[in-house]
Every structure is written in C-alpha cells, then in structure tokens.
Amino acid sequence: MSVLKKLTIRNLKLNRKRTITTIIGIMLSTALICATFGLGTSFQKSLLQDAIKSSGDYHATFYHIPKEEQKYITENRQIDSYFITQDLGYAEIEKELPDSYNRYWLIKQYDEKALTNNGVQLVEGRLPENENEILIQDRAADYSNQEYQIGDMMHLKIGERYSSTGEKLGVTNPLETTEDDEQVLEKFVPTGEEKEYKIVGIMKRPSSELEPYYAPFLVCITYLPEDKIVGNADISVKYKDVTKTYEITEEISKQNGEENSYEYITNGDVLRWSGVSKSANIATTLYVVVGIVVGIIIFSSVFVIRNSFRIMITEKYRQYGMLASIGATSKQIKRNVLQEAFYLGAIAIPLGILGSLLAVFILVLLVQNLIGEYANMEFTFYFPWMAILIGTILSIVTIYLSSIIPARKAAKISPIEAIRSNTEIKINRKKIQAPKWVKKLFKIGGLISYKNLKRSKKQYRTTVISIVVSIAIFLALTSIIQYAFGFTDIYYYENIGYNIVVRSEEEENEKILQQYNEISKIEGIEQYSIQKMAYITIGKEYDNKELAEYYGESQSDRTIPMIAIEDKYYDELVQKLGISKEEARTGAILADNVSYYKDNKYTTSNQFTIKEGETIKCYQENLEEREEETPIENKKQMEIKILKRLGEEQTIGIGRGTHCLIVTEEFLQNHMPNYRISNMYIQAENPDEFSKELDTMEKIGYTNYNESLKETRAIRTVIYIFVYGFIAVITLIGVTNIFNTITTNMLLRSKEFAMLKSVGMTAKEFNNMIRLESIFYGLKSLIIGLPIGLLLSYALYKGFGTSMEITYQIPWASIGIAVLFVFIIVFITMKYSLNKINKQNIIETIRNDNI
Amino acid sequence: MEILRVENLNKVYGKGENEVRAVDNVSFQVEKGEFVAIIGSSGSGKSTLLHLIGGVDRPTSGKVYIDGKDIYQLSNDNLAIFRRRQIGLIYQFYNLIPILNVEENITLPCDLDEQKVNAEKLQDLLKTLGLEKRKKHLPNELSGGQQQRVSIGRAIINSPAIMLADEPTGNLDSKASEEIISLLKLSNKKYNQTVIVITHDEKIALEADRIITIEDGKIIKDERNG
Ligand SMILES: Nc1ncnc2c1ncn2[C@@H]1O[C@H](COP(=O)(O)OP(=O)(O)O)[C@@H](O)[C@H]1O
Ligand SMILES: [Mg+2]
C-alpha cells in the first residue's frame, strides 16, 4: 500500500464523525433513490399480477378465427405463448334466480392453458378436466341459495339468442326488452344440442371483457379438448415483446387484408401495468408526478453528497498543500481524493441499498395489511433489480462528479497558499462589508457573525438551499394533503354523526315507528335520529335563473323534502346558526347549496333565490301522486318563513349537498299531515356488530357506512405514511447537510475562536455570538424558504382549484412547524459544535494551526 | 513598582514516563516599564511560560500576580475580561481575525469590553503603526510585517499592564523585523509599557533591559543589560 493510500484511510479513521456523516449522506441518498424506484417496481408488479389474475395472462385476443387460419396466429414468430377458448353457446337458466335479468348461461370452452392463464379465479373446488365438467360463478351459487353446488349435475339445452328482428345476438348485446323494461323481446332458439355437465368448481365473476356488467348471462366454463377446437375459436396471445403489442396485433389482424381483418381486443389492464399504453393521458400525468418526486430526490441527494465532499476537501486543504510542497503531483493528489470517494461509496452505497430494501419491504407489507383487503389485491415485495442498478449508478455518478471537481481544485493548490491560509475562501473586502447598524445593534459578536455568514456564502448557500427545499416540500405536501383530503368524503364521513342508515320496508308510519323503536333498544347505540318528511314544491318565482340556464329548464327540480328532526338535534343546529329556539319554531331552515362546474371551475350557488327571513309560497305535494303531475294550481298552497340558510353546518342525517327544508317535528305535523317516517340514522358503537343484529330483523334494509369509512381511513393512512415518509427522508437529508456545513464551518474557525478568546472574549459572549449567528442563519433560510413553499402551495391550490371551489388558506400551522424546526436544527447543530469548541484549549488550538 | 510576579510556577505535560516539565518551578518579578527578553533553545518552555503569564493557559501549580492580582484565582469569564483589559498578546503568526479589517482587529479588545474607542488615540496609534492608509484592509491584503503591526496595535490599544510577544519577528524578513522591534521599543518608551518578548533574535535581546535565559523549563540566567 502506498503512503498516500495509507494517508487516505488514516484520514477517514481520524475524522470519524465527518466520515460517518458523509457515509450517512450517501446512504440516505442512495436509499431514497432505490426506495423510490423499488416501491414503484413493487407496486407496478403487484398491480400487474393482480391484473393478470383477474383478466388473464395475455396481451391480445383475436376473435372467431377459422380453423385453417389459426396456425397463422399461433405460429407467428412474435408470439411467446397462446391459448384458445370458444363459445359453445347459450342455455337458459332453468332455476329461478332472484335477479331475473340473468336468464342464460354462456358456456365457454377453455383449453388446458386458458384454464390456468385466462383469469379464472377459483373460489372452491377444482378446474374442469374433461368436457363433461363445468365451473360456475359464485353469483350463481349465491343467488340460488346454494341450489347450484359442487357435485350437482346440470342438464343444458344449447341454443342462440335472436333479436325480435331475427338477428343473432352476441356477448355485447344487452337483453332486448320493451321500452319500459316490462317484457323481454329477444328469443332463445335451441340448436338441438344437449349437454350434461357436472359442477366441479366455483369461480369468481370473470372480467368485464368476458361478461359485461349489463350482460343477461352468467359465464360458465368447461374444458376444451384439442380435437374439439372448431372453426370459430378465440385465440389469446402473449407476445415476446410486450411494448410492441399494438403494432403486432394490428398487423396480425390485418394479415388477410383490410376487409377480412380479425376482430380483436387488447388486455388493457395488463398492458397498462406493463407500461404499455395507447392513450398516454393518465400515464403522462403519473410520469410527471413520479418525475417531479424523483427529480427532487435526486436533486437533494446530489446536493448532500456534493456538499459532504466539498467540506471534506476544505478541511484537508492544508494537508494537500503540504503533500504538494513535499512533491506530490497533481495527479497523485487527485487520485487521493477520488480514492477517498471510492472508499466512502463502497461502504455507503451497499448500506443504502440494504436500507432501502428493508424500507420497501416494510412499506409493501404495511400497505398490504392496511389496504390489501379493501383493494382486494395482494401487494407483494419484488426484488427491485432495476432500482438497485439505477440507484447505484446515480450515486456513483454523483459521487464521482462531486469529488472530481474538488479533486481538481485540490490538485491545483499552490503549496504556500494552502499552508498559509486556513480557509478555502479568498475573502473579499467588499463582499463582507457590514452596515453600521449591525455593530451598533449586535455589538462586535454580531459583526463577526454577520461577516462570517457573508464570507462563507457558498457553503451556507448549500445549506440554506437544503433547508429551503425541506421547508418548501413540507409546505407543499401538507397543502396537498389538506386539499386532497378536504374534498374527499373522508372528512365528511368522519363527522356525519352516524354510521348506519336503516330503511324500513313497511308502508305505514305506525309500523315503521314500531320497528325503529325496537331497533333503538338494541345495545350499543351512541345516538340516533328518526327522520320524518314530506315533499313540497317551491314556487317558480324563486328559481335561480343562472342555474336553470346551466342545467336546462327541465333539470331544475323545485320539489324538495321537508325534513323534521328531533328537537334535540334541531336546537343544536339552530344554535350553530345563531337563532333562538323560539324563533326557530316559527319557520324552516333551507338547505339548497349547489356546486356546479362552469368555466373550468366549480362554483357554489343556491338553488333558490330566497333571502333569509323571507316568507315564501310553496305547494304541498302528495307523495303517491307525485308522478302524475297534478297541475300546480290544484295543489294545496301555503306560506313558510325561511329563517336561515344552511352553510357548512350539518346535523345527523343531513349533510352537505342535501336540498331540503329542515323543521321541527311539530312544524311538520302541523303543516304536512301527509308526512311519512323515512330513515333512521344510527351512530353505533360497533357498527359491524350492530349490522348483525339488524340482519335478524324482517322488512328492514340498512347501509353500514363503517366499511367505507374504514377503507378511506386505511387509504389515508397509507398516503400519510408515504407523504410523511418522503418529507422525513428529505428532511433527514437536509439535516445531514446542515450538520455537515455548520460543524465544518465551526471547526474551520476554531483558531479564530481561540484568538477571540485569547484577546479576552468570555464564554458567555462567545456563546451569544454563535447564537446570533444561528438566528441570522435560520432567518435567512426561512426568508427564502417560506415564500417558495407558500408559492408552491399556492400553485397546488391553483391546480386543485380548477376542479374545486375552495378558498386559499395560508398554512399557518405548517409554517409554524417549519420555523420551529429550522431553529431547533440550527441551534442543536451549533450547540453541538460549540461544545466541541469550548472543550478545546486556546493555546493548543492556536499552536495546532501554527505548525 | 512591581507589575508582574511569578511564584514557583510549574507546568507539567503527560504522566509517568511521558512526563514533560515544560515550566519547572519558575519564579521572577518584572518592574513596570521594563523591557524583558526571554531566550532559550527550541522546546525549552518559553512559549508555555508566556502563555501562563498571559492567562491563556492554566499552570499545574504556582501563582502569577499581575498588578498585584492573583490571576488564576479568577473565574474563566473574569480571566477573559482581565485579559482584554490588562494583557496584550502578540503571536508569531499574527492570528488576526480574517474577516475583520485593520481598524476592527485593533479595536477588538475595546469592542469586546464595550468601551468607546478614543478616536484620537486610535488615529495616533494607526499613524505610529504606519497603517493609516490601510485601516479598511483585511488581514489577507497585508504583508506579514503589516499584519504583525496590526497585532501590536491590538495588543496595545487598551494600554494593558503587560504586553507579551512570542517570537514576533520569527516569520518576518530583517527589514520588517526591525520595524517591529522599533515599535515595541517605542511603545515601551512612549507609553512606559511593560514588554516581555520571546526571541531568537540577538538584536532584540540586546535592545532589552533584561535578558532571561531558559533551559529545560528553568531559568538558568537572568541578567540586566549594561
Ligand atoms: N500540549 C502539550 N502536550 C505535551 N507536551 C507539550 C505540550 N505543549 C508543549 N509541550 C512540551 O513542552 C515543552 C516546551 O514547549 P514550548 O513552551 O512550546 O517551547 P518553546 O516555546 O521554548 O520552543 C516542549 O518539550 C514541548 O514538547
Ligand atoms: Mg515557542
């Protein structure tokens, strides 16, 4: 080992703290890059697997291929593998299913490979092994109360669907009926063929490509032996090069000429997650977002690595000068610097990769546990080879670039200059001039702090930028969360006051009330409300012309419910609105907020031009006769005073977007004797348990909102983890930068500090000076960082603003956190270096540097 | 009048076999207005002794009285304040604050003490030091001799009880050295400033009122010049 090499290693060992912070910086950067790409890979692969599982492992399907032409597809060189399916025909479902829309079976035949590769998701039993065995879907098994079960035999008369005009109907044709859906027009014509199948398994509903949502049939699948492939088969293919899917498919479909081209579909889900997309729109948005995130990460990473190296070389400036003075060539010095970079990279990059693998693994596990169930898919960890490669290359390039520049500089050092000056920076008198007030206000300590900040501009700029990046990202991301969550249902559902809505199927009010009373006795209810309501129509004179214009005359519905809630809730609501209980009983509260899309923007308005306090004319509706359109003159007319309009306030069962008049029960009974009892809103302690109780009751329907709440909460948690995880890592990188810069700067100045002390600066004065410096420093970062962050958050608001009507809110809380954070970090770092410096002996420090 | 008294001063570095007695039981006095030169071979303990007198280091044992005050009885902060008022230190490598200009470097002890700087005195001092035209310059814009003059200015601005210089000409050519010596002499004569200077330079030693020779941490000779 050469002396220079030994020197490098000894240096790294001696400056242990510096070495460690540099390693941490490289580690974090590598880890962040790897983790970003790694997470992307894992999610993309998981989604691809999910797509393959549910829609099949193929890229395209060609339909109705005649026997003699099949080999031109199956033997095409671009094809990796293929499978064949064919439709045997329809058969009527003999047993009565609750959903009468489904009246046929569609019998599909799958060859060996299709059974395993065409998205068949077995729930129970096994795949068919011969042409007398069949798979049915779980809907058929559920619907019929298990009338179709594994082991049952099905006797099917095969046939075709024909329309009333005599055309053959296919998979994509919905059920042909009369206008009012009362009668079925299409005909089933048996071909005479009859089949006997044994049910051997139950599968999930196949993808919508096979069975559209409107399809009047249930797909069932049987085995297709090779010799039974007829002249009308569907061939699904997988290409060797998925990225060429669209071109090859087009090419194959037209191999017999334009007019004889094959019908085909491409497997959109699988292609999308394979990164192949025809419509670039969504993909582009996604790429832009990912690009920005990756850009920020790379930017910060490059920064921290670059900074670390610059600092390291600054510290050793003298040493390089010394080496040069005893005859080391520029080449040797350069090699020395690069060698150091190499050692650091060799330690830090593998550590960073390991860390990122661990982080990705944990994150995928977390996501799987949190939302796997709701998303109905499996998130799996995939070893991200590409991510590791990209991360490693990026880190190496960054390290190389960040060390080659200082290395060149180090190589150019003239020995005398290096030995004599103790800083890298040539001080320029003009640049460090301080205004008079600095000294007046902050004394000599302030003057020195101020001038030092000016002197180390470059170094501080790096750090200021990293703090600025952290602040800006923090502000922007917290704004995103605020906007994104403010306008999803999450907030809404959390505060809605109920988690179960019960509807009675009874007709008469007494019976309904009886049922509801019974329910109210079930244990575990935190609060409940039984709503009573009737319909009224508001006079035409109150129509909001602008809205009518927007929606079109016919759309503006002036008939709205008058809803009565219990006095308890009513009083709570009127208190929020600022009306007295007594006054509140003289009229109704109007809820008629509308938000609509106009001029590329959501705008809010009111459906009626009613003013608060106005007494309006309206007409009583008869619930039963509503359909018949009684002329308005014949309806009972009445006058109702509108007390207030509902804004953002909500009460149990009446949330945003509901259009109604809210009144007391007494008011409703007095004005609308024809009222009926509608829903019961329940806030249950344990909604899932409560639902089970409701299941046992007759003539009751209900919706449990807890599921959707749980789901949205889980999604939110995942988003939080990612967003705050991202902020945390970026901040960590920032902190590493800050720590690096400040400690170095302090150490470089230790001789100056010793001087100040030797001419009589007390410890207290010294600490004050440093504190002042951190304040200057933190302030500067904030002065730059906060406006940029706010600008970003405002830009995001503008971005969201086009689709939502919201007022911009300055994120004071986030600003507060950012300010606090910056000062805490700066102070802690300064404190750390101070402790180190204060421990040093004045004389030793001065002597050290004089050698 | 006695301005400095050193009593049985010891400074020991290391322990056991590695023990170095850098200052070994040294005692002596200096009168106000004296110009003392300390000479001795390299490593004999001159700098260590000077630092102990200047209150920037702490002795292993023994006492240092400046103007009758036992300086090592003072707390760290009070010692610092004492230093800026009563001691002027000059080092071989000037040790100026690189971001402060000539004027600011010179007035540093006053500023630290939050005293008003007497403008006339400063002007006079700058003139004496030959730095009038350079008062806004930064140290790195000055020659070695000029920098050393600044550090003399800094040492003298507060009219300290005692001025201590550690090989002030060690890094300078002969012409600059002569200037520095004459400045030290001048302050000694003009302001009746007590000066202790460590030197290898025969010329300086011969200019002194008194020459103390140190070897292995001990005073081996203490003689007055004719
Ligand atoms: N911090 C220290 N640790 C150990 N030994 C020291 C230290 N500082 C000085 N010495 C030793 O003390 C002795 C006197 O040093 P010094 O006062 O610098 O000598 P001079 O200034 O006369 O050349 C030398 O032998 C030196 O090695
Ligand atoms: Mg010495």
Side-chain angles (χ1 to χ4, degrees):
Chain A
M1 203 185 276
S2 76
V3 179
L4 280 178
K5 214 171 199 172
K6 268 189 208 150
L7 191 68
T8 307
I9 293 172
R10 199 164 303 157
N11 265 330
L12 289 173
K13 280 190 188 150
L14 264 175
N15 293 318
R16 192 169 291 140
K17 284 227 171 78
R18 168 76 44 237
T19 307
I20 289 172
T21 35
T22 311
I23 287 178
I24 288 176
I26 301 174
M27 236 176 75
L28 278 176
S29 312
T30 315
L32 197 56
I33 295 171
C34 279
T36 314
F37 285 105
L39 267 182
T41 317
S42 276
F43 284 149
Q44 180 242 331
K45 286 250 169 83
S46 295
L47 288 160
L48 178 63
Q49 280 314 311
D50 186 64
I52 286 174
K53 203 172 87 189
S54 58
S55 58
D57 191 10
Y58 64 91
H59 297 149
T61 303
F62 299 96
Y63 289 115
H64 317 305
I65 310 298
K67 178 99 181 147
E68 60 281 4
E69 288 173 25
Q70 284 172 11
K71 63 169 184 287
Y72 295 121
I73 295 177
T74 59
E75 284 166 18
N76 187 310
R77 262 195 235 169
Q78 319 233 47
I79 281 167
D80 180 52
S81 61
Y82 69 93
F83 54 79
I84 296 179
T85 65
Q86 63 192 23
D87 292 356
L88 189 70
Y90 294 91
E92 282 183 303
I93 297 174
E94 6 15 308
K95 291 180 183 172
E96 199 185 318
L97 298 181
D99 184 354
S100 59
Y101 191 74
N102 280 314
R103 41 183 60 231
Y104 312 111
W105 300 111
L106 171 60
I107 304 144
K108 278 187 163 287
Q109 294 177 300
Y110 277 24
D111 72 356
E112 190 88 47
K113 268 184 107 178
L115 280 171
T116 48
N117 288 333
N118 201 20
V120 175
Q121 296 185 66
L122 211 57
V123 179
E124 247 186 286
R126 59 172 173 82
L127 295 171
E129 281 161 5
N130 58 55
E131 45 181 328
N132 300 318
E133 293 181 344
I134 202 161
L135 277 181
I136 60 165
Q137 45 181 290
D138 49 3
R139 293 199 299 159
D142 274 356
Y143 274 171
S144 48
N145 290 326
Q146 258 81 57
E147 281 192 63
Y148 289 102
Q149 281 180 350
I150 293 180
D152 286 356
M153 298 301 288
M154 292 207 298
H155 185 83
L156 303 179
K157 293 190 183 78
I158 313 294
E160 296 292 346
R161 293 162 61 198
Y162 284 95
S163 74
S164 52
T165 54
E167 284 162 66
K168 201 166 153 182
L169 296 176
V171 174
T172 53
N173 296 105
L175 193 65
E176 191 193 9
T177 59
T178 50
E179 287 269 321
D180 60 0
D181 285 351
E182 287 298 307
Q183 272 175 323
V184 176
L185 291 179
E186 65 173 74
K187 294 254 153 24
F188 178 74
V189 181
T191 55
E193 195 181 352
E194 292 191 18
K195 285 271 186 184
E196 183 86 15
Y197 289 112
K198 185 182 177 192
I199 300 173
V200 291
I202 294 170
M203 62 177 176
K204 281 196 189 151
R205 182 176 184 171
S207 72
S208 60
E209 263 110 36
L210 296 183
E211 186 185 299
Y213 292 112
Y214 51 82
F217 55 79
L218 299 174
V219 167
C220 50
I221 294 170
T222 179
Y223 183 78
L224 172 66
E226 205 159 330
D227 56 327
K228 289 283 166 65
I229 297 175
V230 292
N232 192 20
D234 303 336
I235 305 179
S236 302
V237 297
K238 199 172 162 183
Y239 298 115
K240 284 177 183 149
D241 180 3
V242 62
T243 58
K244 289 199 195 130
T245 298
Y246 289 105
E247 296 101 84
I248 307 174
T249 309
E250 190 81 16
E251 196 183 295
I252 292 178
S253 96
K254 288 192 179 135
Q255 61 186 354
N256 293 337
E258 281 285 346
E259 59 281 3
N260 294 322
S261 62
Y262 303 134
E263 251 183 78
Y264 68 88
I265 58 147
T266 45
N267 192 346
D269 280 352
V270 169
L271 290 177
R272 180 158 47 253
W273 298 119
S274 304
V276 184
S277 174
K278 209 174 191 177
S279 70
N281 229 338
I282 295 174
T284 314
T285 324
L286 203 71
Y287 287 143
V288 167
V289 171
V290 170
I292 290 173
V293 170
V294 171
I296 291 172
I297 289 170
I298 292 176
F299 177 77
S300 323
S301 310
V302 169
F303 232 81
V304 82
I305 294 177
R306 204 189 72 120
N307 203 20
S308 304
F309 274 97
R310 240 211 21 222
I311 285 168
M312 219 153 72
I313 285 161
T314 310
E315 276 186 343
K316 284 207 283 288
Y317 206 65
R318 266 162 175 282
Q319 197 182 37
Y320 292 129
M322 199 92 72
L323 285 174
S325 78
I326 58 165
T329 63
S330 321
K331 222 169 156 187
Q332 280 171 318
I333 290 176
K334 208 156 82 187
R335 203 167 53 214
N336 189 254
V337 177
L338 289 177
Q339 217 156 44
E340 199 157 319
F342 171 78
Y343 289 134
L344 289 173
I347 298 170
I349 293 177
L351 281 177
I353 287 171
L354 272 177
S356 73
L357 287 179
L358 197 71
V360 171
F361 183 77
I362 291 170
L363 275 173
V364 171
L365 220 73
L366 256 172
V367 169
Q368 169 60 23
N369 281 325
L370 282 169
I371 60 169
E373 190 189 329
Y374 303 111
N376 190 22
M377 65 169 285
E378 203 151 321
F379 290 96
T380 327
F381 172 75
Y382 285 89
F383 198 78
W385 288 111
M386 269 317 263
I388 291 176
L389 201 70
I390 293 173
T392 311
I393 290 175
L394 271 175
S395 305
I396 289 177
V397 169
T398 314
I399 292 175
Y400 181 75
L401 289 181
S402 4
S403 51
I404 190 72
I405 295 162
R408 285 214 186 102
K409 212 164 142 197
K412 268 196 236 135
I413 299 172
S414 100
I416 291 307
E417 203 183 318
I419 295 173
R420 275 185 54 184
S421 77
N422 62 344
T423 45
E424 162 203 33
I425 312 120
K426 280 237 170 63
I427 308 161
N428 183 316
R429 200 189 330 160
K430 289 223 175 59
K431 277 193 188 137
I432 62 166
Q433 227 142 37
K436 284 237 159 51
W437 58 265
V438 176
K439 192 175 169 189
K440 277 235 173 68
L441 205 61
F442 298 117
K443 309 277 160 49
I444 185 73
L447 184 73
I448 294 173
S449 315
Y450 183 92
K451 287 194 164 190
N452 180 58
L453 282 180
K454 294 225 146 180
R455 160 174 64 175
S456 320
K457 225 178 195 159
K458 230 184 186 166
Q459 280 181 47
Y460 276 99
R461 197 186 295 144
T462 330
T463 312
V464 165
I465 289 174
S466 33
I467 300 181
V468 163
V469 168
S470 300
I471 295 174
I473 288 175
F474 176 71
L475 286 185
L477 288 184
T478 45
S479 300
I480 287 193
I481 290 187
Q482 190 190 331
Y483 294 134
F485 287 156
F487 298 93
T488 53
D489 293 336
I490 294 167
Y491 171 78
Y492 181 60
Y493 279 127
E494 292 270 15
N495 299 289
I496 192 172
Y498 62 87
N499 45 31
I500 289 182
V501 179
V502 181
R503 289 170 303 275
S504 173
E505 282 156 20
E506 292 285 359
E507 298 286 331
E508 290 157 45
N509 276 351
E510 287 92 79
K511 280 197 181 154
I512 299 174
L513 205 56
Q514 218 176 334
Q515 277 184 318
Y516 286 175
N517 276 334
E518 212 170 297
I519 292 172
S520 71
K521 285 179 198 124
I522 300 177
E523 252 174 66
I525 295 184
E526 281 168 8
Q527 64 168 356
Y528 72 91
S529 167
I530 296 169
Q531 288 190 354
K532 298 170 178 160
M533 67 167 212
Y535 279 96
I536 57 155
T537 295
I538 292 182
K540 205 170 184 153
E541 58 273 32
Y542 302 109
D543 250 3
N544 184 340
K545 294 272 154 27
E546 241 175 78
L547 265 185
E549 216 168 86
Y550 179 75
Y551 280 119
E553 234 17 90
S554 58
Q555 285 287 315
S556 80
D557 189 358
R558 286 178 283 116
T559 305
I560 58 169
M562 179 186 274
I563 298 175
I565 52 177
E566 288 89 339
D567 280 359
K568 180 173 72 162
Y569 300 116
Y570 189 76
D571 289 341
E572 253 174 44
L573 186 64
V574 296
Q575 201 190 345
K576 277 189 237 165
L577 290 168
I579 2 178
S580 71
K581 282 185 190 179
E582 294 70 39
E583 197 199 341
R585 280 168 176 63
T586 62
I589 295 158
L590 173 66
D592 72 336
N593 292 330
V594 202
S595 90
Y596 62 99
Y597 199 69
K598 196 184 160 190
D599 302 333
N600 293 325
K601 199 173 169 18
Y602 274 99
T603 330
T604 49
S605 176
N606 296 105
Q607 197 188 346
F608 304 108
T609 56
I610 300 168
K611 288 188 214 69
E612 289 181 352
E614 195 174 354
T615 302
I616 59 159
K617 240 189 270 170
C618 53
Y619 307 91
Q620 183 178 328
E621 287 287 343
N622 189 333
L623 281 177
E624 283 71 43
E625 284 167 23
R626 198 168 119 63
E627 301 273 304
E628 288 175 17
E629 288 301 330
T630 327
I632 209 144
E633 305 82 61
N634 300 353
K635 288 179 185 168
K636 191 186 157 198
Q637 190 188 323
M638 57 187 173
E639 289 190 336
I640 291 174
K641 188 178 178 199
I642 302 298
L643 304 166
K644 274 269 179 189
R645 181 173 261 127
L646 206 62
E648 286 293 298
E649 303 84 3
Q650 46 192 25
T651 180
I652 182 167
I654 301 172
R656 285 200 282 211
T658 319
H659 287 189
C660 61
L661 289 178
I662 307 165
V663 296
T664 58
E665 291 181 317
E666 201 187 333
F667 192 93
L668 184 74
Q669 278 155 16
N670 289 344
H671 287 74
M672 307 290 254
N674 66 342
Y675 77 90
R676 53 168 295 178
I677 295 174
S678 67
N679 296 339
M680 179 178 189
Y681 296 85
I682 298 169
Q683 176 82 30
E685 242 168 66
N686 185 340
D688 299 335
E689 287 287 311
F690 201 85
S691 304
K692 279 187 202 139
E693 293 274 349
L694 291 176
D695 281 335
T696 64
M697 303 184 78
E698 303 253 306
K699 289 203 152 190
I700 282 283
Y702 70 88
T703 312
N704 180 353
Y705 284 98
N706 195 42
E707 274 308 305
S708 51
L709 196 61
K710 262 201 276 189
E711 191 178 325
T712 43
R713 271 196 205 128
I715 292 170
R716 182 173 46 176
T717 312
V718 169
I719 295 175
Y720 275 156
I721 290 174
F722 277 92
V723 169
Y724 284 111
F726 182 61
I727 294 176
V729 180
I730 289 287
T731 308
L732 213 58
I733 287 187
V735 169
T736 318
N737 254 342
I738 297 169
F739 184 81
N740 256 340
T741 317
I742 297 184
T743 50
T744 313
N745 191 280
M746 298 294 249
L747 283 179
L748 284 177
R749 287 160 67 203
S750 49
K751 186 178 153 200
E752 250 170 83
F753 293 153
M755 270 322 301
L756 284 170
K757 284 182 186 165
S758 92
V759 296
M761 186 178 249
T762 65
K764 208 172 126 202
E765 285 162 343
F766 179 66
N767 290 351
N768 274 339
M769 180 181 85
I770 298 302
R771 230 165 269 148
L772 209 61
E773 197 167 313
S774 3
I775 290 173
F776 279 148
Y777 186 40
L779 273 180
K780 189 166 179 184
S781 309
L782 288 170
I783 285 170
I784 303 172
L786 286 180
I788 293 180
L790 284 176
L791 227 62
L792 264 179
S793 98
Y794 188 74
L796 285 166
Y797 154 76
K798 276 282 170 199
F800 278 97
T802 56
S803 52
M804 305 279 170
E805 208 216 331
I806 34 176
T807 43
Y808 180 68
Q809 282 173 329
I810 294 177
W812 289 117
S814 305
I815 292 177
I817 291 171
V819 170
L820 211 72
F821 178 78
V822 166
F823 279 115
I824 287 174
I825 289 297
V826 173
F827 268 120
I828 287 178
T829 315
M830 291 259 177
K831 189 96 195 141
Y832 168 84
S833 344
L834 268 183
N835 281 347
K836 249 177 122 170
I837 289 165
N838 282 337
K839 264 191 219 140
Q840 289 170 343
N841 177 301
I842 302 171
I843 284 315
E844 268 171 45
T845 312
I846 293 174
R847 193 202 292 266
N848 241 341
D849 265 34
N850 276 346
I851 292 168
Chain B
M1 197 185 95
E2 174 192 286
I3 194 92
L4 167 74
R5 184 148 49 97
V6 175
E7 274 180 7
N8 306 326
L9 203 59
N10 281 290
K11 178 77 184 178
V12 185
Y13 290 113
K15 278 222 162 70
E17 272 183 34
N18 295 327
E19 191 180 276
V20 176
R21 296 193 153 264
V23 174
D24 193 0
N25 213 26
V26 170
S27 303
F28 69 99
Q29 289 115 303
V30 173
E31 295 293 314
K32 187 167 169 54
E34 252 187 312
F35 193 126
V36 183
I38 298 179
I39 57 171
S41 57
S42 181
S44 56
K46 307 180 297 289
S47 297
T48 310
L49 176 63
L50 196 82
H51 293 144
L52 288 174
I53 297 170
V56 285
D57 205 353
R58 283 197 179 260
T60 312
S61 68
K63 287 191 185 323
V64 173
Y65 295 93
I66 291 176
D67 216 2
K69 192 167 234 143
D70 182 353
I71 61 169
Y72 289 111
Q73 287 297 321
L74 298 170
S75 70
N76 273 340
D77 274 359
N78 284 334
L79 184 56
I81 293 169
F82 183 81
R83 275 202 302 271
R84 68 193 179 206
R85 290 180 184 161
Q86 301 296 359
I87 290 165
L89 264 165
I90 299 160
Y91 300 89
Q92 184 180 351
F93 288 95
Y94 337 125
N95 289 335
L96 301 172
I97 307 295
I99 44 175
L100 297 181
N101 63 29
V102 168
E103 202 179 316
E104 287 163 343
N105 259 299
I106 290 177
T107 57
L108 192 58
C110 306
D111 283 326
L112 285 173
D113 217 26
E114 293 179 29
Q115 297 168 23
K116 255 224 166 72
V117 184
N118 184 329
E120 232 170 89
K121 186 177 172 191
L122 179 64
Q123 203 50 41
D124 187 45
L125 187 57
L126 283 168
K127 205 166 154 189
T128 313
L129 296 170
L131 291 168
E132 278 167 299
K133 294 207 179 81
R134 309 262 168 189
K135 61 182 183 184
K136 295 293 174 199
H137 286 220
L138 291 176
N140 68 353
E141 295 168 309
L142 301 175
S143 72
Q146 287 169 326
Q147 288 189 50
Q148 194 62 294
R149 278 185 260 154
V150 176
S151 80
I152 290 174
R154 182 178 67 188
I156 212 169
I157 185 80
N158 260 350
S159 321
I162 190 165
M163 207 156 102
L164 305 166
D166 190 350
E167 301 191 38
T169 60
N171 204 34
L172 301 174
D173 58 47
S174 57
K175 187 172 167 281
S177 296
E178 262 166 41
E179 283 171 14
I180 296 301
I181 299 159
S182 56
L183 268 174
L184 289 177
K185 276 300 279 189
L186 185 72
S187 61
N188 175 248
K189 290 274 151 341
K190 188 172 169 188
Y191 303 112
N192 195 26
Q193 180 68 56
T194 314
V195 178
I196 301 179
V197 58
I198 292 175
T199 185
H200 275 117
D201 192 331
E202 291 276 311
K203 272 194 205 138
I204 302 184
L206 290 173
E207 301 256 358
D209 303 330
R210 178 178 168 194
I211 302 172
I212 296 176
T213 312
I214 291 194
E215 208 52 69
D216 287 332
K218 294 192 191 75
I219 297 180
I220 56 164
K221 218 170 7 172
D222 186 348
E223 54 191 359
R224 280 177 198 275
N225 267 352

